[in-house]
Amino acid sequence: MSKKRIGIFGSTGSIGKQALEVIAAHPERFEVEVLTAHSSADLLIEQALKFRPNAVVIGDESKYTAVKDVLFDKGIKVFAGPKAMVEVAAWSSIDMMLAAIVGFAGLAPTLSAIEQGTPVALANKETLVVAGDIVMATARRKNVPVIPVDSEHAAIFQCLVGEPGGCLEKVILTASGGPFLGKKPNYLINVKKDHALQHPNWSMGAKITIDSATLMNKGLEMIEAKWLFNLAADQIDVVVHPQSIVHSMVQFTDGSMKAQMGLPDMKLPIQYALGFPERLANDFPRFSFKNYPSLTFEAPDTKTFRNLAIAIEVLKTGGNSACVMNAANEEVVNAFLRNRIGFLQMTEVIEETLAKIPFQATPTLNDYYNTDTAAREYAASLINGLG
Ligand code: NAD
Ligand code: MG
């Protein structure tokens, strides 16, 4: 059997590194065709020396020489800059792209791979939040599978395997609740990044960890689910499940429900997406009910965690509103991580940005780019005013 050649876009991040662990555990199945990083040149070099890809791309052009000096002699092609990332994403030698870049920056390379006809394992949820209509329409036109890596969507995807079309009534996304589950605004007003970065169940990149603390992550995931599974807003529910064992659920038109369960380990959905339609064996730790005598479920507190309420509104509104929300969110998370604004101020900036940026009902890709730029500029000006 020929090996699947994987292009990992964002290989130096949390998802990217775990994907390389999965690949290392299945050398008979997978090979690395391309690795990319934004600025972590040393780690990119180390990964390339171990996995011997055909090419690497470093986003930060100032690091090009440093990477090339080491890898060129080893026969590994080196490119730099965002444009190169989009060009390399279109290489037909990539059998599957793992979209593991964080944020809006992942959109262009992911679309480039889909346009080329390359199947995508999608971790980068912001791609669908920003331009889910265009991304999924392109995937349908090119007959390209988009296999979710996000654990909730991987759960839903697995629950739907083998089911006939038209039998899905609703999906229920589980949320851990993050580190501030049960807390109220008078507590949240003072929390700092070090505390917000302590996620109870998952070890992830900084941006998604803050999104999990504010519940924006679940809002982004509702919008991601809408596009991946072609759902209406009222077909998507959220339930808080602090143990993160049930990764999400599907309710069918006969009232029956399916859930997908397992330990909170992103290597599972990564491996499932890379191996799909097969389910590969592994020796990762197993879940046991003995260690989890109680699995609990409760409604999310959208009065306290208003980012989720905002995202639900945006999910219903559609158009470019999710793009605005995403851009403002990326700016505020960045500012919070640099201790420039407080936890609750993140929500205020997102709300004000949504109120300011003109609504467009049916944006083009170019409109999404312009919306992203305008929303970021406005959110940044609000942050400057606060700081
Ligand atoms: P991370 O911050 O750990 O890694 C991000 C990767 O993207 C790095 O390799 C970085 O070099 C690259 N990158 C960052 N900015 C870039 C830019 N402007 N241009 C090109 N490359 C850039 O993030 P992560 O936690 O691995 O998350 C990646 C994506 O997967 C996010 O969209 C996140 O929401 C999603 N996701 C992550 C997890 C998780 O467990 N970490 C779970 C579900 C979904
Ligand atoms: Mg998730």
Side-chain angles (χ1 to χ4, degrees), residues 237-295:
D237 272 355
V238 170
V239 65
V240 173
H241 166 49
Q243 298 81 21
S244 298
I245 295 298
V246 174
H247 296 309
S248 278
M249 294 167 264
V250 172
Q251 182 174 307
F252 295 97
T253 44
D254 63 354
S256 177
M257 291 177 92
K258 276 191 192 172
Q260 188 267 340
M261 302 169 62
L263 288 174
D265 179 353
M266 285 308 295
K267 290 201 292 302
L268 291 177
I270 292 169
Q271 178 182 293
Y272 184 82
L274 295 185
F276 185 78
E278 287 178 73
R279 197 181 270 286
L280 307 181
N282 65 39
D283 56 6
F284 301 158
R286 268 36 175 172
F287 165 74
S288 164
F289 280 103
K290 283 190 217 129
N291 302 329
Y292 291 85
S294 96
L295 299 179

Side-chain angles (χ1 to χ4, degrees), residues 7-60:
I8 305 185
F9 285 67
S11 67
T12 54
S14 161
I15 292 287
K17 286 189 278 190
Q18 293 180 83
L20 285 171
E21 285 182 50
V22 168
I23 289 173
H26 298 283
E28 73 297 349
R29 307 301 294 251
F30 304 117
E31 273 176 336
V32 179
E33 172 68 10
V34 171
L35 297 173
T36 85
H38 182 49
S39 61
S40 306
D42 291 344
L43 181 54
L44 182 67
I45 290 169
E46 187 188 319
Q47 292 177 336
L49 291 175
K50 181 165 178 208
F51 288 91
R52 298 289 168 152
N54 185 8
V56 302
V57 188
I58 180 95
D60 179 348

